[in-house]
């Protein structure tokens, strides 16, 4: 099922790397980056990130702090536009979305994002989900009610909040708030969901609930998740990319990365010897 | 160990002493104003027009003028300050233009109000021929208020966490939609508090108004609400002495027999009004915040 490029050795930096892009006809590639470089001012934070992401699969981005995985993720839907310079191509279904004339707002509706810290808006639970829909011209109470319910159900929050949708979202617990943020993102029916350490501020129970939710969501969405939690990556993802010092050093199926890593640093990292 | 403990005790003791002194001065000042002023207050005092030579005058017109000027000044300065603050905090890039604007605001906010008043006199009263009028006064107050209000609104925007902006952008909202629909609503309690506090400052301002809104308070006909009539309270072209200016004036050149009593009474009214502004700001800000954040 996989094209094995074997261990690649980059002549320029003599880095040991092992990149195997997904190749599964049932899960075609929906997003790919080519020759991606990210600069904060003059300093380069990401030297090369050439990854391909398979549809309806979960891809985990792991690596030590400062390895560039969040920078990479935030570049995918151009959340870094104002603070960084992103060079290279981000191919979304055949279109390079890293071009000046791309409608970023439309693009971000297709490539949604959930952040490290739950960030519900200072609005009611209902409005948190409904308000971006309204701005996009979805009108009619019935239609909105339906979309809000479906989104909250998909995010596994509906049963806990259905009786007080008018309550302020700021009163929710961390886990609930994070699931509200997921509901808010999927209400727009995105194609891809980017998650930046979504469970790092949550307790173990909420984390495990969130993982169950993500496993269900991948039936409809392509998910790319940055995580510090090795077990989490192993539990939920099909593919894992290992980042170190601004470079992708290893990319393969999750089982390969965790059971039989080819690059020494990856092996050290997943076995907890550094990072 | 013992030395550190002793030092700590001395430090705490002196800080208590200093804070106590500040509170004492404040209480003494307020107490003096209220004790000497409160007995003068009556419905008549609060509503009757002032008398120039006889005793028994009130501050009704001055009180009305103060509020009218305040509202006009706020109507003019709030939209400008809001726009400037949004631009500076949400849009402006960190370059020399922005830093020049910020410096200008800082300088403007530390300008003595009497300078603002004299500028207002030369520009609005003389050059633009608005005369000693409520309008001139309102413009002068706008100059006085604008930098303070802009900074306070900017601070309010700063209190809204950066992750709220990211949340909006990640949903495909434009920057303007994010500011307008997420950031501003979340900042409303804090903005409101800032507006009311600056209203208190504007309400008590005298120096900027002496040469712009004038020092006379012609009797008003409170039955006439046509802003084009000269005796109408709403006429923006009439001279309008405010309460703070009134206090300054009777203390420097008041010739009515009860000048001292009127001055004390006016001071009490002014102080009470400003205290009310402050309490209202806290109360409303807290309540709004609660309503927005809790069940």
């Amino acid at each position: 099922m996989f094209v094995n490029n074997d261990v690649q050795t980059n002549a320029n930096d003599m880095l040991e790397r092992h990149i195997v892009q997904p190749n599964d006809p049932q899960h075609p590639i929906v997003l790919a980056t080519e020759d991606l470089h990210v600069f904060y001012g003059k300093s380069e934070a990401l030297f090369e990130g050439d990854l391909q992401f398979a549809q309806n699969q979960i891809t985990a981005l792991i690596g030590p702090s400062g390895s560039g995985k969040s920078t990479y993720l935030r570049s995918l839907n151009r959340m870094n536009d104002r603070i960084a310079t992103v060079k290279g191509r981000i191919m979304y279904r055949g279109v390079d979305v890293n071009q000046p004339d791309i409608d970023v707002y439309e693009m971000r509706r297709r490539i949604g994002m959930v952040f490290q810290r739950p960030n519900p808006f200072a609005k009611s639970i209902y409005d948190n989900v409904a308000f971006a829909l309204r701005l996009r011209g979805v009108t009619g109470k019935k239609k909105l009610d339906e979309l809000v319910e479906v989104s909250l159900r998909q995010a596994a929050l509906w049963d806990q909040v259905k009786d007080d949708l008018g309550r302020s979202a700021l009163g929710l617990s961390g886990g609930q708030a994070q699931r509200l943020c997921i509901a808010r993102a999927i209400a727009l029916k995105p194609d891809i969901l980017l998650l930046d350490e979504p469970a790092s501020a949550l307790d173990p129970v909420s984390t495990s609930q969130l993982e169950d939710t993500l496993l269900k969501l991948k039936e409809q969405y392509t998910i790319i998740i940055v995580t510090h939690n090795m077990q989490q990556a192993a539990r939920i993802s099909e593919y894992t990319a290992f980042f170190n010092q601004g470079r992708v050093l290893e990319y393969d199926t999750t089982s390969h990365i965790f059971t039989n890593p080819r690059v020494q640093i990856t092996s050290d990292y997943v076995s907890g010897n550094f990072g | 160990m013992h030395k550190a403990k002793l030092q700590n005790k001395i430090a705490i003791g002196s800080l208590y002493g200093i804070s106590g002194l500040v509170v004492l001065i404040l209480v003494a000042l307020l107490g003096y104003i209220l004790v000497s002023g409160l007995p003068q207050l009556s419905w008549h005092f609060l509503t009757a027009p002032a008398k120039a030579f006889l005793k028994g005058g009130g501050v009704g017109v001055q009180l009305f003028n103060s509020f009218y000027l305040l509202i006009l000044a706020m109507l003019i300065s709030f939209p400008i300050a809001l726009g400037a603050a949004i631009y500076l905090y949400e849009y402006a890039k960190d370059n020399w233009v922005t830093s020049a604007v910020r410096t200008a605001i800082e300088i403007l906010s530390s300008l003595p109000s009497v300078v603002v008043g004299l500028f207002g006199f030369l520009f609005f009263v003389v050059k633009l021929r608005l005369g000693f009028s409520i309008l001139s006064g309102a413009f002068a107050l706008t100059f006085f208020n604008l930098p303070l209000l802009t900074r306070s609104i900017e601070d309010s925007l700063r209190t809204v966490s950066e992750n709220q902006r990211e949340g909006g952008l990640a949903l495909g909202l434009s920057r303007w939609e994010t500011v307008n629909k997420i950031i501003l609503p979340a900042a409303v309690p804090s903005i409101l508090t800032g507006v009311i506090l600056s209203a208190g400052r504007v309400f008590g301002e005298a120096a900027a108004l002496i040469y712009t809104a004038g020092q006379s308070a012609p009797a008003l006909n409170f039955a006439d609400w046509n802003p084009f009539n000269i005796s109408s309270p709403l006429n923006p072209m009439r001279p309008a002495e405010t309460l703070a200016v009134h206090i300054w004036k009777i203390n420097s050149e008041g010739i009515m027999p009860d000048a001292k009593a009127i001055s004390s009474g006016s001071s009490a009214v002014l102080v009470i009004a400003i205290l009310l502004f402050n309490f209202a700001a806290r109360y409303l800000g807290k309540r709004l915040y609660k309503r927005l954040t809790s069940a």
Side-chain angles (χ1 to χ4, degrees):
Chain A
M1 286 305 240
F2 301 98
V3 179
N4 195 336
N5 296 347
D6 243 320
V7 176
Q8 296 176 340
T9 309
N10 191 320
N12 289 327
D13 45 19
M14 296 303 286
L15 273 173
E16 196 190 5
R17 307 173 87 185
H18 177 75
I19 311 282
V20 181
Q21 305 289 3
N23 182 17
D24 175 357
Q26 289 200 310
H27 299 288
I29 302 299
V30 287
L31 188 70
T33 54
E34 297 167 6
D35 201 21
L36 201 73
H37 296 256
V38 182
F39 300 83
Y40 291 112
K42 284 210 173 94
S43 74
E44 192 162 3
L46 189 81
F47 299 93
E48 213 183 327
D50 290 3
L51 297 175
Q52 300 181 359
F53 300 98
Q55 187 171 356
N56 297 100
Q57 303 277 280
I58 299 181
T59 305
L61 311 182
I62 62 169
S65 299
S67 59
K69 55 196 190 307
S70 281
T71 295
Y72 177 82
L73 188 82
R74 293 167 58 91
S75 300
L76 292 179
N77 67 342
R78 292 180 56 182
M79 289 298 287
N80 267 347
D81 271 11
R82 267 169 75 92
I83 48 173
T85 314
V86 181
K87 288 186 181 153
R89 286 176 301 284
I90 300 168
M91 304 304 290
Y92 166 64
R93 294 193 181 279
V95 180
D96 179 10
V97 293
N98 193 27
Q99 294 179 72
D101 55 343
I102 284 284
D103 178 354
V104 274
Y105 307 126
E106 178 57 33
M107 185 268 284
R108 286 185 193 138
R109 258 164 261 145
R110 309 248 184 112
I111 307 179
M113 189 166 213
V114 174
F115 297 85
Q116 188 169 1
R117 299 202 70 80
N119 56 351
F121 302 133
K123 301 177 186 296
S124 70
I125 295 169
Y126 184 95
D127 282 338
N128 258 276
V129 182
F131 115 102
L133 292 168
R134 282 200 204 99
L135 285 179
R136 291 301 139 240
V138 179
T139 50
K141 195 177 165 349
K142 230 181 127 188
K143 184 102 206 273
L144 279 171
D145 285 353
E146 194 189 311
L147 280 169
V148 169
E149 181 176 339
V150 170
S151 310
L152 286 171
R153 274 189 196 284
Q154 285 188 338
L157 187 60
W158 174 253
D159 289 331
Q160 295 164 52
V161 300
K162 64 182 176 203
D163 295 324
D164 36 18
L165 292 172
R167 218 176 56 175
S168 166
L170 300 187
L172 294 174
S173 74
Q176 291 175 326
Q178 194 61 298
R179 267 176 288 139
L180 180 66
C181 294
I182 293 177
R184 186 171 80 184
I186 58 185
L188 293 164
K189 302 238 182 321
D191 197 3
I192 300 172
L193 208 52
L194 309 175
L195 301 114
D196 190 0
E197 295 186 45
S200 67
L202 305 184
D203 62 76
V205 176
S206 306
T207 301
S208 125
Q209 287 169 343
L210 188 82
E211 288 174 9
D212 290 342
T213 307
L214 293 180
L215 286 172
K216 280 192 196 111
L217 285 175
K218 81 167 182 186
E219 288 161 20
Q220 293 177 56
Y221 308 99
T222 303
I223 295 175
I224 305 171
I225 179 171
V226 166
T227 179
H228 262 127
N229 183 333
M230 240 39 75
Q231 288 81 16
Q232 184 168 64
R235 276 192 300 261
I236 63 173
S237 68
E238 277 81 22
Y239 299 94
T240 297
F242 173 68
F243 283 69
N244 192 37
Q245 298 187 343
R247 285 186 172 82
V248 181
L249 294 189
E250 187 153 5
Y251 184 41
D252 206 333
T253 58
T254 300
S255 57
H256 266 97
I257 295 273
F258 281 94
T259 56
N260 185 22
R262 304 290 183 86
V263 178
Q264 186 57 41
I265 306 176
T266 316
S267 168
D268 290 346
Y269 185 72
V270 298
S271 56
N273 287 341
F274 97 103
Chain B
M1 267 321 252
H2 274 295
K3 203 181 159 203
K5 245 183 186 170
L6 186 69
Q7 278 178 337
N8 190 39
K9 269 193 178 149
I10 294 174
I12 290 180
S14 359
L15 289 176
Y16 269 132
I18 294 169
S19 328
L21 195 69
V22 171
V23 172
L24 204 71
I25 293 173
L26 199 68
V27 168
L29 213 64
L30 274 180
Y32 175 75
I33 293 173
L34 292 179
V35 165
S36 58
L38 281 179
Q40 318 299 333
L41 300 192
S42 64
W43 183 244
H44 171 81
F45 181 74
L46 289 177
T47 53
K51 288 179 178 165
F53 310 108
L54 302 171
K55 64 184 290 196
V59 293
V61 176
Q62 282 81 2
L63 201 55
F64 177 82
N65 286 344
S66 288
F67 278 108
Y68 189 30
L69 254 170
L70 172 68
I71 291 170
L72 273 186
M74 279 298 170
L75 282 180
I76 303 171
S77 52
F78 181 68
I80 303 175
L82 185 67
I86 290 177
Y87 173 74
L88 281 175
Y89 192 70
E90 304 286 347
Y91 287 93
K93 293 208 173 83
D94 212 3
N95 55 23
W96 68 271
V97 181
T98 315
S99 90
V101 172
R102 269 183 221 278
T103 311
I105 288 175
E106 239 151 66
I107 292 173
L108 209 58
S109 69
S110 55
L111 218 55
S113 58
V114 67
V115 175
V116 175
L118 285 171
F119 164 78
F121 171 72
L122 290 174
F123 189 66
F124 300 119
V125 177
V126 177
K127 189 81 188 165
L128 297 185
R129 297 188 188 168
L130 293 175
F132 288 119
S133 63
I134 288 192
L135 213 52
S136 302
F139 285 137
L141 284 182
T142 299
F143 270 77
F144 171 72
N145 191 28
L146 208 49
L148 299 164
L149 199 55
T150 305
R151 284 184 65 168
S152 116
I153 297 177
E154 222 189 314
D155 286 340
S156 303
L157 296 175
R158 193 167 291 129
T159 61
V160 180
S161 164
E162 200 53 40
N163 70 28
Q164 297 279 307
R165 293 175 181 83
E166 288 187 332
L169 291 177
L171 288 177
L173 272 58
S174 69
R175 198 141 199 97
W176 170 243
E177 284 171 326
T178 306
V179 169
N180 197 21
K181 305 280 180 181
I182 298 170
I183 307 304
L184 279 182
V188 159
S190 165
I191 292 179
L192 186 77
T193 308
V195 167
I196 299 179
L197 287 177
S198 79
R201 272 193 310 261
V202 167
F203 194 79
E205 176 55 31
L209 290 175
I210 293 172
Y211 304 109
T212 51
Q215 306 165 39
S216 60
L220 299 177
N221 176 6
F222 281 95
D224 181 358
W225 293 97
N226 180 348
F228 295 104
N229 291 346
I230 191 67
S231 63
S232 162
L234 291 187
N235 188 324
M237 299 311 290
R238 66 186 171 82
E241 184 193 38
T242 64
L243 206 55
V245 175
H246 191 56
I247 295 170
W248 171 81
K249 199 178 160 203
I250 31 186
N251 274 302
S252 54
E253 54 189 60
I255 45 173
M256 55 287 259
D258 56 352
K260 179 111 186 36
I262 290 179
S263 160
S264 305
S266 308
S267 305
V269 173
L270 194 66
V271 165
I272 291 170
I274 290 171
L275 282 178
L276 283 180
F277 278 126
N278 279 269
F279 289 135
R282 285 182 176 208
Y283 176 73
L284 284 175
K286 266 190 196 155
R287 254 196 78 161
L288 257 176
Y289 184 76
K290 250 190 167 169
R291 256 192 69 182
L292 284 168
T293 52
S294 70

